[in-house]
Amino acid sequence: MTESEPSTPDFVVKPDTVEEIQAIVKLANAERVPITPVVANTNVGGLAIPVEGGIVMDLKGMNRILEVNATEMYALIEPGVTFGQMKEYLEAKHPELTMAYPLSPPYASVLCNCLLDGLSNLSLRFGSTSDLINGLEVVLPTGEVLRVGAPALSPWWFGRAPLPDLAGLFVNWQGTTGIVTKMAVQLWPKPALRRRLFLLAYDADTPFALLRHFARTMIFDDLGALSWPLGKMLFGVYAPLQKDPEEPLFFVYLDLAANTQAEMKAKGEIIQSALREFQRQGATVEGPLEIDLLLRVEPSLKRFAEFPMTLDFLLDHPGKGLTWVGTYGPTGQWEEGARRGQDIMLQHGFPPVIVARPMKGGHFAVLRFIALFDKSREAHRARRVNEALYDMVLDLGFIPYKAPRWMVEKFQPRLDPTFRDLMQRIKQMVDPNRIMNPGRWLL
Ligand SMILES: Cc1cc2nc3c(=O)[nH]c(=O)nc-3n(C[C@H](O)[C@H](O)[C@H](O)COP(=O)(O)OP(=O)(O)OC[C@H]3O[C@@H](n4cnc5c(N)ncnc54)[C@H](O)[C@@H]3O)c2cc1C
C-alpha cells in the first residue's frame, strides 16, 4: 500500500522453528546475505521491503500461542500470532482477559506491533504497545539465542524489571538487530461493561482541549479526535475535499469501561459536568451521543465497532495506496499541528484526514495525517504531501513512528549525534556483517 519504492528479494524462506531460523541466520551471516523479517506487511511505511534484496523471512507460519498465564496475565506468543487469532483464543479460553488492540487489520502480528511501539485501544492507560512487552526471545544476527526481561533469569515471563532492560535493543529497531522469536505480552482483566460515546465539535481547538482535560480524569480506556473527512469516508465518500457547512469539524470518541453500573454512572456524571463546563466557556460541542445511535443510522458501521477491525475504506479503495505521517509528540502542540497539517493537505489536494489521541494518561500525543492515493500514478504526490507534513511536525517537536528510510534520512541531521553514533556502534556489535534488514535507520 506504501508509496515507498518496491524491491525484490532473491529468496523467500518460511521457517517453522527457532532452530530453522538459527540455521538460516548462520548461513546468511557466513555468506553476507541480507535478511528481512516480515509477518503481515501492514506497517504502511514499507519497513519490510528488502531494499538490498537477499532473503525475506516470512514468519506467518510461526503462529503458536505458547502459553496464556492467567495468574500473571500474559500471553507467550510467536511472531506470526495475529490480533484476530488472539481475540478468538481469549474469548474461547480466557473470557475474563483481554489485550490491547490497534486499528490494524486482524491479520497483523501482535509481536510486530509491540516491537514498533504501536498505538492501541489501551494506549491512553498504558502507553504505546512496547510498554506491554514482558520479555523477548531473539535470534541474534550471529545465530545465538538471547532472552531479555524476566525470562533471562526466571521461568515466568512476568515483566522487564529489575534487570537491565535490553528489550530496548530490539524495540523500534525495525528488525535490524535480530529476529524476535517469542514475546510475552501483557493481558488485562476484561471489564464487565463498556460504553462508547462520541461528541461533535464545531471549532478547531475544542477537541484538543477536551482530550487533554478528559485524559486527566483517568476514567477512560481510550480517547481520540477524528477530523471531518473520516466521517464522510466511513459513509463511503472516497476523497472528500469539501466539508458541508453544518458538519462538525471533529468527532471526539470516548471509550470507557466499568465493572458495575454504579461505576459507569459515576463516569457518565464526570463527562456531563466537564461538558457543561466547556459549553459554559463557549465551546461549540454537542453530545455525548451513544455509538449505538450511529449504528442505527448506518448498520454497516457495526464492523468498525469491535476490535480488531479492518478499516476497509482505507484499504479497499480504487487507488490502493495508503500512507501517513504518524507521530508521537507534545499534547501542547496539537492545535498548531492540526491547523498547519490541514492547510498542507488541502494545498496538496488531499482531504485533511487527521487523527489525534492522548497516550499514557495524557503524557504525550498522537498526531497522524492519513493520505489515500492512486498507486499507479500518484506515489510522487503522496510523497510530496508527506514531506511537507513531516517538516512541519518535526518543527513542532513531534517524532514520526515506524519511520521509513526517507524520513530517517531527513531527520538524521537533527538527531543527537551521540545517539546516532551509539546506534551505529550497537549495530556494529550485534550485527557485524550488517545482514539484518539493511538500509533501515541508515544503519
Ligand atoms: C488500515 C491500517 C490501520 C492501522 N492501524 C494501526 C493502529 O491503530 N495502531 C498501530 O500501531 N498500527 C496500525 N497499523 C500499522 C500496522 O498494522 C501495525 O504496525 C502492525 O502491527 C504491524 O504488523 P505486521 O505483521 O504488519 O508487521 P510487518 O509490517 O510485517 O513488519 C513490521 C516490521 O517488523 C519487522 N519484523 C517482522 N518480524 C520481526 C521479528 N520477528 N523480529 C524483529 N523484527 C521483525 C519487519 O522487518 C518490519 O520492519 C495500521 C495499518 C493499517 C493498514
Side-chain angles (χ1 to χ4, degrees), residues 1 36-44 47-48 59 79 83 102-105 107-120 129 174-176 178-181 311 314-315 322 324 328 357 368 401-402 437 440:
M1 64 200 76
T36 303
V38 63
V39 182
N41 226 333
T42 68
N43 64 75
V44 179
L47 303 181
L59 294 162
F83 285 101
L103 295 172
S104 304
Y107 48 85
S109 152
V110 177
L111 179 144
C112 288
N113 188 266
C114 294
L115 287 182
L116 286 173
D117 250 335
L119 51 141
S120 74
T129 51
Q174 302 180 354
T176 57
I179 298 169
V180 178
T181 44
L311 298 174
L314 295 182
L315 294 170
L322 166 67
W324 59 48
Y328 293 151
R357 289 164 82 172
R368 176 161 59 166
Y401 52 73
K402 304 171 193 169
N437 210 351
R440 305 283 146 220

Side-chain angles (χ1 to χ4, degrees), residues 289-304:
L289 306 168
E290 296 282 347
I291 201 87
D292 292 349
L293 185 76
L294 196 60
L295 298 183
R296 251 182 283 149
V297 178
E298 181 56 70
S300 72
L301 296 182
K302 197 164 171 44
R303 67 193 188 283
F304 301 126

